[in-house]
Amino acid sequence: MKALRCTVHGSLDDLTVHEIPEPVAGPGQVVVEVRAAAVNFADILVVQGAYQVAAPVPFTPGSEFAGRIVRAGPDVEGFAPGDAVSGSVFVGAFAQRVVAPATSLTALPPGADLRAAAASGVSYATAYHALTLVAELRAGETLAVLGAAGGVGLAAVQLGRLLGARVIAVASSERKRGLCLEEGADVALPYDDLKRRLADAGGADVVLDPVGGDHAEPALRALRWGGRYVTVGFAGGEIPRVPLNLVMLKGVSVRGFEFGGWARNEPEALARGRADLAGLFLTGGLKPHIHAVYPLEDAAGALAAVAGRSSAGKVLIVPAAPDGPGGGHG
């Protein structure tokens, strides 16, 4: 089968498509034919060797996918070949087929839009858990979202609206800010003079920050008394240093969300959150915004679009099946 391969940590330009052996399903695992895989910023960090957990080279990048099961290993219950599923892995999704633990999969109904399913997983789960479990966002509060046109950011805009918050979106271009308004933001702001702009917009009770860098401190300064600042990543490339005197003087708290820690320490809370989020997709009208779809042969270009922050919403990679055309909506 074909797969995008990283043979040395570093530049996205070094990624190339190779023919490699198809994966084999071990106990509790399934092999999924990938119809669509979504690009997340963490995938770029893994390729660069800058993620919290290293992937030994060579490896196939990619963490989020949707497709159909082609083989199930021993001890797999509840899934069978032909089932439509979405799922996540640490690496391996930017390929025609991926092996994954059955416990990491979500069953999809017949005829599900597999591109939408691939685009709906990690970003929405990150935003939802960060807003509900960590920020404890309440109806009537004001939520400011940095990087609001990115995958996690746009999911947070939509979810903040459904949770009853007033949403301030912060994004880098007029085009991105327009998209945020279309997706439910009440106000859309640029980054320049961010503290004043957020203050003029009334301040925020909660800041959700997937960007970090120089934007963190002005957003922290714009929090209202007792506000919550939640970090979920550093897409800006720099981990900010926060002046703790601001935390003390404003009575605010700085919190973080990362799946691994919650999965190890509070898996029941994550399970409840996943169930609640699934209900919102069924009843709340959530729909991911897909910015662009790339073939596997241009997967490096898909990662570059996300790394360069030129995309809005989700970027997908659609492989062709090993024995014929693939991708599409089912």
Side-chain angles (χ1 to χ4, degrees):
M1 69 171 189
K2 293 180 179 179
L4 185 71
R5 299 293 281 174
C6 176
T7 58
V8 58
H9 290 124
S11 173
L12 300 178
D13 294 334
D14 293 329
L15 298 173
T16 53
V17 175
H18 289 256
E19 291 276 352
I20 65 171
E22 291 197 19
V24 176
Q29 295 180 326
V30 299
V31 175
V32 177
E33 181 180 280
V34 178
R35 300 294 184 89
V39 179
N40 293 292
F41 195 80
D43 301 324
I44 296 161
L45 296 178
V46 172
V47 169
Q48 293 172 337
Y51 194 63
Q52 293 95 327
V53 180
V57 294
F59 67 93
T60 297
S63 56
E64 186 175 17
F65 62 90
R68 295 191 180 277
I69 295 175
V70 292
R71 284 186 296 278
D75 305 323
V76 170
E77 297 181 358
F79 293 101
D83 288 352
V85 295
S86 62
S88 62
V89 289
F90 177 45
V91 293
F94 298 158
Q96 292 176 322
R97 290 182 177 175
V98 62
V99 64
T103 53
S104 73
L105 302 179
T106 298
L108 301 174
D113 184 335
L114 297 181
R115 292 187 180 185
S120 303
V122 173
S123 294
Y124 280 87
T126 298
Y128 184 76
H129 291 112
L131 292 177
T132 58
L133 295 180
V134 182
E136 299 176 322
L137 180 68
R138 296 181 289 270
E141 291 189 316
T142 295
L143 164 68
V145 182
L146 307 189
V152 172
L154 204 56
V157 168
Q158 294 177 342
L159 288 165
R161 178 199 66 210
L162 285 181
L163 294 170
R166 175 176 176 261
V167 179
I168 301 173
V170 184
S172 59
S173 71
E174 186 174 349
R175 175 180 62 86
K176 291 181 177 181
R177 292 190 289 274
L179 175 62
C180 293
L181 293 171
E182 292 173 8
E183 295 293 338
D186 297 280
V187 180
L189 303 176
Y191 283 102
D192 60 286
D193 202 4
L194 183 57
K195 177 193 172 185
R196 180 189 63 79
R197 289 182 183 276
L198 285 172
D200 289 348
D205 300 291
V206 171
V207 169
L208 184 75
D209 182 9
V211 179
D214 294 338
H215 306 309
E217 184 175 330
L220 178 66
R221 289 180 179 274
L223 275 173
R224 296 170 178 166
W225 170 261
R228 290 88 73 200
Y229 185 100
V230 181
T231 177
V232 297
F234 310 103
E238 180 183 343
I239 299 176
R241 297 181 181 273
V242 176
L244 290 180
N245 63 311
L246 294 178
V247 177
M248 177 180 68
L249 294 173
K250 296 177 70 66
V252 302
S253 59
V254 178
R255 309 176 187 179
F257 176 81
E258 187 267 331
F259 269 110
W262 280 82
R264 289 188 297 272
N265 295 288
E266 299 195 50
E268 297 85 0
L270 283 184
R272 290 193 299 270
R274 284 195 296 267
D276 292 342
L277 182 58
L280 288 178
F281 270 105
L282 289 174
T283 63
L286 287 176
K287 185 177 181 181
H289 177 82
I290 297 175
H291 172 82
V293 178
Y294 289 74
L296 183 62
E297 289 71 19
D298 194 18
L303 272 73
V306 175
R309 301 179 68 183
S310 62
S311 61
K314 296 296 290 187
V315 170
L316 300 183
I317 294 168
V318 177
D323 54 354
H329 293 266

